[in-house]
């Protein structure tokens, strides 16, 4: 009996010790920085095969992106673009592109007294336009102008050029007309807000 009580007391004290240690060292999770950005209008070619013509369009849009922290980090964005077509063939109409971008970003290390940090990223663009699903590779290059050099995650103004490497074949580019959006260069500007560390309860 005494032996069993001793063993039970040891197990309880060991368990309480582990619990105290867990409370002394709470678990943490990292919340990525968040970038809100605008896609500025830049000319792109829209091929209308039925009419045998190519129109110039200037998409614009907005998006939100999770910003990595460190030389290499995972990143993802969700964006919406509006494309206005003004064509004698299709008339005036507008269609939309909804994009989910998943990729990896490189950012130069933070240096005290130097606010500019250069960035480059590669994305897989998974998108939807009307009933058309599409996928395309996208490359970006630009810089972050740091406004808070003590922040745990990248914070500041962002400027990026991006390039979509492949055609987007769309079933409906307005008024039921099929079209192809050709590879194009674009520009986006935004602001990255600081992420943070926060404690979480252990299960």
């Amino acid at each position: 009996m005494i032996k069993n009580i001793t063993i039970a007391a040891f197990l309880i004290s060991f368990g309480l010790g582990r619990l105290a240690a867990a409370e002394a060292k709470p678990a943490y999770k990292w919340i990525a920085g968040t970038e809100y950005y605008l896609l500025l209008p830049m000319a792109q070619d829209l091929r209308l095969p039925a009419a045998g013509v190519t129109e110039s369009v200037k998409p614009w849009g907005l998006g939100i992106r999770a910003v990595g922290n460190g030389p290499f980090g995972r990143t993802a964005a969700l964006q919406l673009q509006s494309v206005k077509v003004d064509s004698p063939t299709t008339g005036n109409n507008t269609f939309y592109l909804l994009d989910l971008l998943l990729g990896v970003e490189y950012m130069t290390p933070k240096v005290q007294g130097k606010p500019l940090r250069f960035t480059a990223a590669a994305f897989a663009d998974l998108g939807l336009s009307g009933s058309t699903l599409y996928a395309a590779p996208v490359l970006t290059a630009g810089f972050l102008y740091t406004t808070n050099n003590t922040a745990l995650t990248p914070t500041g103004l962002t400027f990026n050029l991006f390039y979509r490497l492949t055609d987007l074949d769309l079933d409906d580019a307005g008024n039921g007309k099929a079209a192809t959006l050709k590879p194009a260069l674009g520009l986006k500007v935004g602001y990255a807000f600081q992420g943070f560390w926060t404690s979480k309860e252990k299960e």
Side-chain angles (χ1 to χ4, degrees):
M1 175 68 74
I2 295 176
K3 180 178 180 182
N4 291 337
I5 293 174
T6 302
I7 293 173
F10 173 78
L11 292 175
I12 291 172
S13 63
F14 178 77
L16 290 175
R18 291 292 301 272
L19 180 60
E23 290 177 350
K25 297 180 179 179
Y28 288 90
K29 61 180 178 180
W30 178 65
I31 306 300
T34 304
E35 176 194 10
Y36 297 91
Y37 62 87
L38 294 174
L39 297 163
L40 301 183
M42 291 187 67
Q44 300 184 23
D45 289 336
L46 182 70
R47 178 68 179 169
L48 300 167
V53 298
T54 298
E55 300 291 339
S56 179
V57 296
K58 295 181 178 180
W60 70 275
L62 47 85
I64 181 172
R65 182 173 72 92
V67 183
N69 190 18
F72 289 94
R74 291 176 294 180
T75 181
L78 183 67
Q79 66 185 32
L80 178 67
Q81 298 182 71
S82 173
V83 187
K84 183 178 180 180
V85 183
D86 184 4
S87 168
T89 304
T90 63
N92 297 333
N93 57 79
T94 302
F95 65 94
Y96 300 92
L97 306 174
L98 179 63
D99 300 293
L100 173 64
L101 298 109
L102 305 172
V104 177
E105 179 183 37
Y106 168 78
M107 182 179 295
T108 53
K110 179 171 63 176
V111 178
Q112 188 70 33
K114 294 184 178 180
L116 282 182
R117 299 177 67 180
F118 292 94
T119 66
F123 290 94
D125 179 3
L126 309 175
L128 175 67
S129 177
S131 60
T132 304
L133 293 170
Y134 57 82
V138 175
L139 300 177
T140 74
F143 63 88
L144 165 79
Y145 184 86
T146 305
T147 55
N148 182 358
N149 208 44
T150 63
L152 294 175
T153 57
T155 303
L157 297 169
T158 59
F159 301 85
N160 285 276
L161 286 173
F162 63 89
Y163 187 75
R164 190 185 68 252
L165 280 71
T166 59
D167 294 345
L168 298 185
D169 293 320
L170 309 175
D171 295 333
D172 184 0
N175 294 340
K177 304 292 184 181
T180 298
L181 197 59
K182 306 302 290 184
L185 186 69
L187 173 65
K188 69 184 186 73
V189 297
Y191 193 91
F193 293 88
Q194 180 182 357
F196 57 92
W197 289 90
T198 182
S199 61
K200 63 178 181 179
E201 293 182 1
K202 281 184 174 291
E203 295 180 358

